[in-house]
Amino acid sequence: MKLGDKIRYLREVEGSLRGLGRALNQQELVKAIEAETGGKLSQSYLSQIESGARPHLTNTTRQTLAGFFKVHPGYLVDDPEGYHPELQSDVRGVEDKLDLWLVDGAERFRRDATLKHALLTVARQENSRDCLLLLESILETPGLMPRLLEVLRPSAAPAEGMKEEVMAKNGRGETASRNGAVKGGTQKDRLRRERNG
């Protein structure tokens, strides 16, 4: 794991520990470090570290960040390729990478609060890989996703009239959206007709 990824991950954990339900942003981190440790760190320097533009920390910065996040200073370096600090299965390594990817995605989509929350919820699960595999199974089971959406998130499910308005039949028995993109095939059409009577 790269140093920038570790810092982003620690900001996410710290935000969660503080009950924010999100990562501490870089400016909040800088202010918290100064208030709680007396250490000085600029937001631009932190941004350079996280982006990889500045791949190494000064010893003072490493000690300050380690003290604030309560991690060993030796943790705050890039891991060598293929390095694992403890014996762990390949699945755990995949889980860690997947969790970082989800956290990064949540940060990228921070303006969509619902999506960001969903990505972070999956990342916080013990087995986020299994969550995504379950989602795949749900999506591949015809008709299951719309039914679950209606039950679990009724406000997010499109109204029955809207479904019919948005979806239109093309001449080949496939379902197409207003822009003409094929959304499904005859099996989906048959299931939709059975469900709608």
Side-chain angles (χ1 to χ4, degrees), residues 102-131:
L102 289 164
V103 168
D104 185 54
E107 188 64 25
R108 289 179 189 207
F109 292 101
R110 64 183 167 269
R111 290 191 175 135
D112 183 339
T114 305
L115 179 58
K116 177 182 176 182
H117 178 67
L119 291 170
L120 291 176
T121 299
V122 174
R124 287 185 190 112
Q125 297 301 310
E126 181 67 27
N127 297 309
S128 49
R129 180 179 180 274
D130 289 343
C131 293

Side-chain angles (χ1 to χ4, degrees), residues 8-76:
R8 275 191 297 277
Y9 176 73
L10 289 169
R11 284 195 300 111
E12 177 64 37
V13 169
E14 191 65 29
S16 180
L17 290 173
R18 291 173 184 246
L20 298 176
R22 60 173 175 79
L24 277 180
N25 66 38
Q26 292 175 347
Q27 193 60 44
E28 290 170 329
L29 176 59
V30 168
K31 288 179 182 176
I33 287 172
E34 185 171 0
E36 295 172 26
T37 70
K40 299 274 188 192
L41 187 67
S42 73
Q43 187 271 328
S44 61
Y45 180 57
L46 187 59
S47 178
Q48 290 174 350
I49 293 167
E50 288 190 16
S51 70
R54 189 176 290 257
H56 304 289
L57 299 174
T58 65
N59 190 46
T60 303
T61 302
R62 180 174 288 107
Q63 294 298 329
T64 300
L65 288 170
F68 179 79
F69 288 123
K70 297 174 181 53
V71 297
H72 189 280
Y75 174 74
L76 297 174

